[in-house]
Amino acid sequence: DAKTTQPPSMDCAEGRAANLPCNHSTISGNEYVYWYRQIHSQGPQYIIHGLKNNETNEMASLIITEDRKSSTLILPHATLRDTAVYYCIVRVISPDKLIFGTGTRLQVFP
Amino acid sequence: EPEVTQTPSHQVTQMGQEVILRCVPISNHLYFYWYRQILGQKVEFLVSFYNNEISEKSEIFDDQFSVERPDGSNFTLKIRSTKLEDSAMYFCASSEVGQGARIQPQHFGDGTRLSIL
Protein backbone atom coordinates (compact mmCIF):
# COMPACT_ATOMS: atom_id res chain seq x y z
CA ASP A 1 0.00 0.00 0.00
CA ALA A 2 1.01 3.60 -0.55
CA LYS A 3 2.68 5.20 2.45
CA THR A 4 1.16 8.61 1.71
CA THR A 5 -2.17 10.37 2.18
CA GLN A 6 -3.37 13.09 -0.17
CA PRO A 7 -6.66 14.94 -0.61
CA PRO A 8 -8.60 13.44 -3.51
CA SER A 9 -9.15 16.74 -5.32
CA MET A 10 -8.27 20.43 -5.30
CA ASP A 11 -9.09 23.47 -7.39
CA CYS A 12 -6.83 26.38 -8.23
CA ALA A 13 -7.34 29.55 -10.23
CA GLU A 14 -5.06 30.06 -13.18
CA GLY A 15 -2.07 32.21 -12.27
CA ARG A 16 -2.34 31.46 -8.57
CA ALA A 17 -0.09 29.17 -6.58
CA ALA A 18 -1.26 25.61 -6.18
CA ASN A 19 -0.26 24.05 -2.87
CA LEU A 20 -0.71 20.29 -2.78
CA PRO A 21 -0.29 18.65 0.64
CA CYS A 22 0.87 15.15 1.43
CA ASN A 23 1.15 13.21 4.68
CA HIS A 24 3.81 10.52 5.03
CA SER A 25 4.01 10.00 8.77
CA THR A 26 5.67 6.57 8.56
CA ILE A 27 8.53 7.66 6.30
CA SER A 28 11.92 6.18 7.16
CA GLY A 29 15.11 8.19 7.52
CA ASN A 30 16.57 7.23 4.16
CA GLU A 31 13.39 7.35 2.09
CA TYR A 32 12.83 10.13 -0.39
CA VAL A 33 9.60 11.96 -1.15
CA TYR A 34 8.86 12.01 -4.86
CA TRP A 35 6.19 13.88 -6.78
CA TYR A 36 4.84 12.83 -10.13
CA ARG A 37 1.85 13.93 -12.15
CA GLN A 38 -0.27 12.25 -14.75
CA ILE A 39 -2.06 14.29 -17.36
CA HIS A 40 -5.09 12.42 -18.65
CA SER A 41 -3.81 8.96 -19.65
CA GLN A 42 -0.22 9.93 -20.39
CA GLY A 43 2.68 8.39 -18.54
CA PRO A 44 3.52 9.71 -15.08
CA GLN A 45 5.77 12.75 -15.33
CA TYR A 46 8.51 13.29 -12.76
CA ILE A 47 8.28 16.67 -11.03
CA ILE A 48 10.63 16.84 -8.06
CA HIS A 49 11.98 14.88 -5.12
CA GLY A 50 13.61 15.56 -1.76
CA LEU A 51 14.95 13.96 1.38
CA LYS A 52 14.74 16.59 4.10
CA ASN A 53 15.67 19.93 2.60
CA ASN A 54 13.34 22.08 0.57
CA GLU A 55 13.89 21.73 -3.14
CA THR A 56 13.08 23.88 -6.16
CA ASN A 57 13.35 23.29 -9.87
CA GLU A 58 11.87 24.80 -13.00
CA MET A 59 8.56 23.07 -12.45
CA ALA A 60 7.84 23.34 -8.75
CA SER A 61 9.00 23.68 -5.17
CA LEU A 62 8.91 20.99 -2.52
CA ILE A 63 8.59 21.92 1.13
CA ILE A 64 9.26 19.11 3.61
CA THR A 65 8.49 19.61 7.29
CA GLU A 66 11.31 19.30 9.77
CA ASP A 67 9.96 16.02 11.15
CA ARG A 68 9.55 14.78 7.53
CA LYS A 69 6.03 13.58 8.24
CA SER A 70 4.46 15.79 5.61
CA SER A 71 5.31 17.83 2.55
CA THR A 72 3.78 20.34 0.16
CA LEU A 73 4.26 20.62 -3.56
CA ILE A 74 3.97 24.17 -4.79
CA LEU A 75 3.24 25.14 -8.38
CA PRO A 76 3.95 28.87 -8.17
CA HIS A 77 1.80 30.05 -11.08
CA ALA A 78 -0.64 27.35 -12.10
CA THR A 79 -1.75 27.17 -15.73
CA LEU A 80 -4.56 25.20 -17.36
CA ARG A 81 -1.94 22.70 -18.54
CA ASP A 82 -1.18 21.86 -14.91
CA THR A 83 -4.57 20.16 -14.59
CA ALA A 84 -3.60 16.59 -13.73
CA VAL A 85 -3.48 13.95 -11.02
CA TYR A 86 -0.55 14.60 -8.70
CA TYR A 87 1.07 11.72 -6.85
CA CYS A 88 3.14 12.01 -3.72
CA ILE A 89 5.26 8.88 -3.35
CA VAL A 90 7.68 7.68 -0.71
CA ARG A 91 10.24 5.89 -2.79
CA VAL A 92 11.25 2.45 -1.65
CA ILE A 93 14.89 2.06 -2.67
CA SER A 94 15.33 -1.61 -1.94
CA PRO A 95 13.60 -3.04 -3.79
CA ASP A 96 13.43 -0.06 -6.11
CA LYS A 97 9.87 0.62 -7.14
CA LEU A 98 7.30 3.37 -7.02
CA ILE A 99 4.06 2.64 -5.19
CA PHE A 100 1.35 4.91 -6.53
CA GLY A 101 -1.69 5.88 -4.51
CA THR A 102 -4.78 7.58 -5.86
CA GLY A 103 -3.20 11.05 -5.82
CA THR A 104 -4.78 14.50 -5.86
CA ARG A 105 -6.76 15.55 -8.90
CA LEU A 106 -5.87 19.22 -9.43
CA GLN A 107 -8.25 21.22 -11.55
CA VAL A 108 -6.94 24.61 -12.69
CA PHE A 109 -9.73 26.90 -13.82
CA PRO A 110 -9.60 30.14 -15.83
CA GLU B 1 15.13 16.46 -23.60
CA PRO B 2 15.70 12.69 -23.84
CA GLU B 3 12.59 10.58 -23.35
CA VAL B 4 11.40 7.03 -23.03
CA THR B 5 9.58 5.88 -26.15
CA GLN B 6 7.07 3.05 -26.34
CA THR B 7 5.61 1.23 -29.30
CA PRO B 8 2.95 0.61 -30.35
CA SER B 9 0.76 3.25 -28.77
CA HIS B 10 -2.23 0.92 -29.05
CA GLN B 11 -2.22 -2.87 -29.41
CA VAL B 12 -5.33 -4.94 -29.97
CA THR B 13 -4.92 -8.68 -29.49
CA GLN B 14 -7.14 -11.72 -29.32
CA MET B 15 -7.33 -13.47 -25.97
CA GLY B 16 -4.79 -16.27 -25.76
CA GLN B 17 -2.37 -14.65 -28.17
CA GLU B 18 1.13 -13.55 -27.32
CA VAL B 19 1.96 -9.87 -27.29
CA ILE B 20 5.25 -8.00 -27.07
CA LEU B 21 5.36 -4.41 -25.90
CA ARG B 22 8.45 -2.46 -26.78
CA CYS B 23 10.30 0.33 -25.05
CA VAL B 24 13.40 2.35 -25.81
CA PRO B 25 14.70 3.70 -22.51
CA ILE B 26 16.78 6.86 -22.20
CA SER B 27 20.20 5.99 -23.58
CA ASN B 28 22.45 6.30 -20.49
CA HIS B 29 19.95 4.74 -18.10
CA LEU B 30 20.71 1.39 -16.51
CA TYR B 31 17.53 0.58 -14.56
CA PHE B 32 14.35 -0.37 -16.37
CA TYR B 33 10.80 -0.89 -15.17
CA TRP B 34 7.34 -1.86 -16.32
CA TYR B 35 4.15 -0.63 -14.70
CA ARG B 36 0.55 -1.03 -15.70
CA GLN B 37 -2.64 0.93 -15.13
CA ILE B 38 -6.02 -0.68 -15.57
CA LEU B 39 -8.60 1.89 -16.66
CA GLY B 40 -9.67 4.00 -13.68
CA GLN B 41 -7.27 2.32 -11.27
CA LYS B 42 -3.86 3.04 -9.76
CA VAL B 43 -0.54 2.70 -11.52
CA GLU B 44 0.89 -0.67 -10.42
CA PHE B 45 4.50 -1.82 -10.40
CA LEU B 46 5.21 -4.96 -12.40
CA VAL B 47 8.95 -5.51 -12.60
CA SER B 48 12.35 -3.87 -12.37
CA PHE B 49 15.38 -4.93 -14.39
CA TYR B 50 19.06 -4.20 -13.95
CA ASN B 51 22.25 -5.73 -15.27
CA ASN B 52 20.31 -8.09 -17.52
CA GLU B 53 18.25 -9.63 -14.81
CA ILE B 54 15.06 -9.03 -12.90
CA SER B 55 15.67 -7.11 -9.66
CA GLU B 56 12.15 -7.22 -8.32
CA LYS B 57 8.74 -8.34 -9.49
CA SER B 58 5.25 -7.97 -8.14
CA GLU B 59 2.61 -10.62 -7.62
CA ILE B 60 1.03 -9.52 -10.90
CA PHE B 61 4.17 -10.51 -12.80
CA ASP B 62 3.48 -14.25 -13.02
CA ASP B 63 4.82 -16.87 -15.41
CA GLN B 64 2.82 -15.38 -18.27
CA PHE B 65 5.05 -12.32 -18.21
CA SER B 66 8.67 -11.98 -19.21
CA VAL B 67 11.06 -9.12 -19.88
CA GLU B 68 14.10 -8.91 -22.05
CA ARG B 69 16.72 -6.48 -23.20
CA PRO B 70 17.44 -8.04 -26.60
CA ASP B 71 19.99 -5.42 -27.65
CA GLY B 72 21.60 -2.28 -26.31
CA SER B 73 18.56 -0.08 -26.78
CA ASN B 74 15.29 -1.99 -26.47
CA PHE B 75 13.49 -3.29 -23.41
CA THR B 76 10.50 -5.54 -24.00
CA LEU B 77 7.59 -6.95 -22.03
CA LYS B 78 6.08 -10.17 -23.32
CA ILE B 79 2.75 -11.59 -22.25
CA ARG B 80 2.65 -15.19 -23.39
CA SER B 81 -1.06 -15.97 -23.41
CA THR B 82 -3.13 -12.87 -22.92
CA LYS B 83 -6.26 -12.75 -20.79
CA LEU B 84 -9.08 -10.24 -20.80
CA GLU B 85 -7.84 -8.83 -17.50
CA ASP B 86 -4.50 -7.94 -19.08
CA SER B 87 -6.21 -5.03 -20.80
CA ALA B 88 -4.51 -1.93 -19.45
CA MET B 89 -2.04 0.84 -20.16
CA TYR B 90 1.50 -0.45 -19.84
CA PHE B 91 4.18 2.06 -18.96
CA CYS B 92 7.90 1.60 -19.32
CA ALA B 93 10.29 3.64 -17.18
CA SER B 94 14.02 4.00 -16.82
CA SER B 95 16.45 5.63 -14.42
CA GLU B 96 20.15 6.27 -14.18
CA VAL B 97 22.58 5.81 -11.36
CA GLY B 98 23.78 9.04 -9.81
CA GLN B 99 26.47 9.98 -7.37
CA GLY B 100 27.15 7.44 -4.67
CA ALA B 101 25.30 4.80 -6.70
CA ARG B 102 22.06 6.55 -5.78
CA ILE B 103 19.29 5.65 -8.18
CA GLN B 104 17.86 8.71 -9.86
CA PRO B 105 14.20 9.47 -10.68
CA GLN B 106 12.31 7.12 -12.93
CA HIS B 107 11.22 8.62 -16.23
CA PHE B 108 8.17 7.18 -17.92
CA GLY B 109 7.07 6.69 -21.47
CA ASP B 110 3.54 7.53 -22.62
CA GLY B 111 2.50 3.92 -22.56
CA THR B 112 0.97 1.26 -24.74
CA ARG B 113 -2.74 0.74 -24.48
CA LEU B 114 -3.31 -3.02 -24.64
CA SER B 115 -6.81 -4.16 -25.49
CA ILE B 116 -7.59 -7.87 -25.26
CA LEU B 117 -10.67 -9.05 -27.17
Side-chain angles (χ1 to χ4, degrees), chain B residues 94-114:
Chain B
S94 69
S95 62
E96 62 178 328
V97 179
Q99 281 187 339
R102 185 166 297 144
I103 301 174
Q104 297 300 299
Q106 296 178 23
H107 294 271
F108 286 74
D110 275 338
T112 292
R113 179 173 301 282
L114 178 62

mmCIF file of all heavy atoms in Angstrom, chain B residues 94-114:
data_model
loop_
_atom_site.group_PDB
_atom_site.id
_atom_site.type_symbol
_atom_site.label_atom_id
_atom_site.label_comp_id
_atom_site.label_asym_id
_atom_site.label_seq_id
_atom_site.Cartn_x
_atom_site.Cartn_y
_atom_site.Cartn_z
ATOM 1 N N SER B 94 12.605 4.267 -16.998
ATOM 2 C CA SER B 94 14.025 4.002 -16.824
ATOM 3 C C SER B 94 14.623 5.035 -15.890
ATOM 4 O O SER B 94 14.063 6.130 -15.709
ATOM 5 C CB SER B 94 14.753 3.995 -18.172
ATOM 6 O OG SER B 94 14.794 5.288 -18.744
ATOM 7 N N SER B 95 15.741 4.686 -15.282
ATOM 8 C CA SER B 95 16.446 5.634 -14.422
ATOM 9 C C SER B 95 17.948 5.375 -14.500
ATOM 10 O O SER B 95 18.391 4.283 -14.866
ATOM 11 C CB SER B 95 15.953 5.550 -12.975
ATOM 12 O OG SER B 95 16.199 4.279 -12.430
ATOM 13 N N GLU B 96 18.695 6.391 -14.162
ATOM 14 C CA GLU B 96 20.146 6.271 -14.184
ATOM 15 C C GLU B 96 20.663 6.177 -12.760
ATOM 16 O O GLU B 96 19.924 6.357 -11.799
ATOM 17 C CB GLU B 96 20.762 7.467 -14.891
ATOM 18 C CG GLU B 96 20.499 8.808 -14.220
ATOM 19 C CD GLU B 96 21.174 9.967 -14.928
ATOM 20 O OE1 GLU B 96 22.268 9.763 -15.504
ATOM 21 O OE2 GLU B 96 20.618 11.065 -14.911
ATOM 22 N N VAL B 97 21.929 5.879 -12.665
ATOM 23 C CA VAL B 97 22.578 5.805 -11.360
ATOM 24 C C VAL B 97 23.358 7.092 -11.163
ATOM 25 O O VAL B 97 24.159 7.464 -12.017
ATOM 26 C CB VAL B 97 23.505 4.594 -11.275
ATOM 27 C CG1 VAL B 97 24.189 4.538 -9.917
ATOM 28 C CG2 VAL B 97 22.724 3.330 -11.531
ATOM 29 N N GLY B 98 23.122 7.773 -10.057
ATOM 30 C CA GLY B 98 23.784 9.039 -9.810
ATOM 31 C C GLY B 98 24.977 8.880 -8.888
ATOM 32 O O GLY B 98 25.535 7.799 -8.726
ATOM 33 N N GLN B 99 25.324 9.968 -8.273
ATOM 34 C CA GLN B 99 26.467 9.982 -7.369
ATOM 35 C C GLN B 99 26.230 9.047 -6.196
ATOM 36 O O GLN B 99 25.126 8.967 -5.677
ATOM 37 C CB GLN B 99 26.693 11.396 -6.854
ATOM 38 C CG GLN B 99 27.407 12.292 -7.845
ATOM 39 C CD GLN B 99 27.768 13.626 -7.218
ATOM 40 O OE1 GLN B 99 27.177 14.033 -6.233
ATOM 41 N NE2 GLN B 99 28.744 14.298 -7.794
ATOM 42 N N GLY B 100 27.278 8.350 -5.793
ATOM 43 C CA GLY B 100 27.146 7.436 -4.666
ATOM 44 C C GLY B 100 26.258 6.255 -4.976
ATOM 45 O O GLY B 100 25.656 5.674 -4.063
ATOM 46 N N ALA B 101 26.144 5.912 -6.254
ATOM 47 C CA ALA B 101 25.296 4.797 -6.702
ATOM 48 C C ALA B 101 23.838 5.017 -6.343
ATOM 49 O O ALA B 101 23.061 4.056 -6.240
ATOM 50 C CB ALA B 101 25.800 3.475 -6.126
ATOM 51 N N ARG B 102 23.439 6.254 -6.137
ATOM 52 C CA ARG B 102 22.057 6.549 -5.780
ATOM 53 C C ARG B 102 21.212 6.524 -7.044
ATOM 54 O O ARG B 102 21.518 7.196 -8.026
ATOM 55 C CB ARG B 102 21.985 7.895 -5.106
ATOM 56 C CG ARG B 102 20.607 8.252 -4.580
ATOM 57 C CD ARG B 102 20.690 9.418 -3.635
ATOM 58 N NE ARG B 102 21.484 9.077 -2.458
ATOM 59 C CZ ARG B 102 22.287 9.936 -1.850
ATOM 60 N NH1 ARG B 102 22.398 11.163 -2.286
ATOM 61 N NH2 ARG B 102 22.956 9.572 -0.776
ATOM 62 N N ILE B 103 20.151 5.755 -7.005
ATOM 63 C CA ILE B 103 19.289 5.651 -8.179
ATOM 64 C C ILE B 103 18.504 6.941 -8.335
ATOM 65 O O ILE B 103 17.914 7.438 -7.380
ATOM 66 C CB ILE B 103 18.352 4.447 -8.055
ATOM 67 C CG1 ILE B 103 19.174 3.158 -7.901
ATOM 68 C CG2 ILE B 103 17.445 4.344 -9.264
ATOM 69 C CD1 ILE B 103 18.345 1.931 -7.622
ATOM 70 N N GLN B 104 18.502 7.438 -9.549
ATOM 71 C CA GLN B 104 17.860 8.711 -9.860
ATOM 72 C C GLN B 104 16.379 8.505 -10.201
ATOM 73 O O GLN B 104 15.903 7.371 -10.277
ATOM 74 C CB GLN B 104 18.620 9.363 -11.008
ATOM 75 C CG GLN B 104 20.060 9.703 -10.667
ATOM 76 C CD GLN B 104 20.148 10.673 -9.503
ATOM 77 O OE1 GLN B 104 19.654 11.789 -9.563
ATOM 78 N NE2 GLN B 104 20.772 10.225 -8.416
ATOM 79 N N PRO B 105 15.635 9.611 -10.407
ATOM 80 C CA PRO B 105 14.196 9.471 -10.678
ATOM 81 C C PRO B 105 13.895 8.597 -11.879
ATOM 82 O O PRO B 105 14.649 8.563 -12.852
ATOM 83 C CB PRO B 105 13.751 10.912 -10.932
ATOM 84 C CG PRO B 105 14.730 11.755 -10.185
ATOM 85 C CD PRO B 105 16.033 11.020 -10.268
ATOM 86 N N GLN B 106 12.782 7.901 -11.805
ATOM 87 C CA GLN B 106 12.309 7.122 -12.932
ATOM 88 C C GLN B 106 11.584 8.045 -13.904
ATOM 89 O O GLN B 106 10.771 8.872 -13.501
ATOM 90 C CB GLN B 106 11.363 6.014 -12.453
ATOM 91 C CG GLN B 106 12.036 4.986 -11.567
ATOM 92 C CD GLN B 106 11.083 3.921 -11.070
ATOM 93 O OE1 GLN B 106 10.045 3.665 -11.660
ATOM 94 N NE2 GLN B 106 11.447 3.273 -9.967
ATOM 95 N N HIS B 107 11.886 7.851 -15.183
ATOM 96 C CA HIS B 107 11.219 8.624 -16.226
ATOM 97 C C HIS B 107 10.374 7.673 -17.065
ATOM 98 O O HIS B 107 10.869 6.620 -17.496
ATOM 99 C CB HIS B 107 12.241 9.355 -17.092
ATOM 100 C CG HIS B 107 12.974 10.416 -16.331
ATOM 101 N ND1 HIS B 107 12.511 11.710 -16.238
ATOM 102 C CD2 HIS B 107 14.111 10.364 -15.598
ATOM 103 C CE1 HIS B 107 13.358 12.422 -15.484
ATOM 104 N NE2 HIS B 107 14.323 11.632 -15.085
ATOM 105 N N PHE B 108 9.142 8.064 -17.299
ATOM 106 C CA PHE B 108 8.168 7.178 -17.922
ATOM 107 C C PHE B 108 7.913 7.529 -19.379
ATOM 108 O O PHE B 108 7.977 8.701 -19.781
ATOM 109 C CB PHE B 108 6.825 7.291 -17.183
ATOM 110 C CG PHE B 108 6.797 6.626 -15.836
ATOM 111 C CD1 PHE B 108 7.439 7.194 -14.752
ATOM 112 C CD2 PHE B 108 6.113 5.429 -15.655
ATOM 113 C CE1 PHE B 108 7.418 6.571 -13.491
ATOM 114 C CE2 PHE B 108 6.079 4.808 -14.413
ATOM 115 C CZ PHE B 108 6.730 5.383 -13.331
ATOM 116 N N GLY B 109 7.598 6.488 -20.146
ATOM 117 C CA GLY B 109 7.065 6.694 -21.473
ATOM 118 C C GLY B 109 5.568 6.974 -21.409
ATOM 119 O O GLY B 109 4.971 6.944 -20.328
ATOM 120 N N ASP B 110 4.973 7.215 -22.570
ATOM 121 C CA ASP B 110 3.544 7.532 -22.616
ATOM 122 C C ASP B 110 2.658 6.297 -22.716
ATOM 123 O O ASP B 110 1.444 6.420 -22.812
ATOM 124 C CB ASP B 110 3.249 8.506 -23.751
ATOM 125 C CG ASP B 110 3.474 9.948 -23.320
ATOM 126 O OD1 ASP B 110 3.451 10.215 -22.098
ATOM 127 O OD2 ASP B 110 3.687 10.804 -24.194
ATOM 128 N N GLY B 111 3.269 5.140 -22.723
ATOM 129 C CA GLY B 111 2.496 3.923 -22.561
ATOM 130 C C GLY B 111 2.015 3.283 -23.841
ATOM 131 O O GLY B 111 1.979 3.893 -24.911
ATOM 132 N N THR B 112 1.662 2.011 -23.693
ATOM 133 C CA THR B 112 0.975 1.258 -24.741
ATOM 134 C C THR B 112 -0.375 0.835 -24.180
ATOM 135 O O THR B 112 -0.424 0.208 -23.114
ATOM 136 C CB THR B 112 1.763 0.009 -25.148
ATOM 137 O OG1 THR B 112 2.965 0.387 -25.802
ATOM 138 C CG2 THR B 112 0.932 -0.878 -26.075
ATOM 139 N N ARG B 113 -1.417 1.188 -24.900
ATOM 140 C CA ARG B 113 -2.743 0.736 -24.477
ATOM 141 C C ARG B 113 -2.972 -0.648 -25.054
ATOM 142 O O ARG B 113 -3.011 -0.820 -26.277
ATOM 143 C CB ARG B 113 -3.826 1.688 -24.960
ATOM 144 C CG ARG B 113 -5.234 1.245 -24.563
ATOM 145 C CD ARG B 113 -6.284 2.283 -24.910
ATOM 146 N NE ARG B 113 -6.033 3.556 -24.247
ATOM 147 C CZ ARG B 113 -6.305 3.810 -22.988
ATOM 148 N NH1 ARG B 113 -6.859 2.876 -22.223
ATOM 149 N NH2 ARG B 113 -6.049 4.995 -22.465
ATOM 150 N N LEU B 114 -3.082 -1.640 -24.208
ATOM 151 C CA LEU B 114 -3.310 -3.015 -24.637
ATOM 152 C C LEU B 114 -4.771 -3.365 -24.446
ATOM 153 O O LEU B 114 -5.299 -3.263 -23.338
ATOM 154 C CB LEU B 114 -2.430 -3.975 -23.827
ATOM 155 C CG LEU B 114 -2.586 -5.453 -24.140
ATOM 156 C CD1 LEU B 114 -2.196 -5.753 -25.582
ATOM 157 C CD2 LEU B 114 -1.758 -6.296 -23.177
#
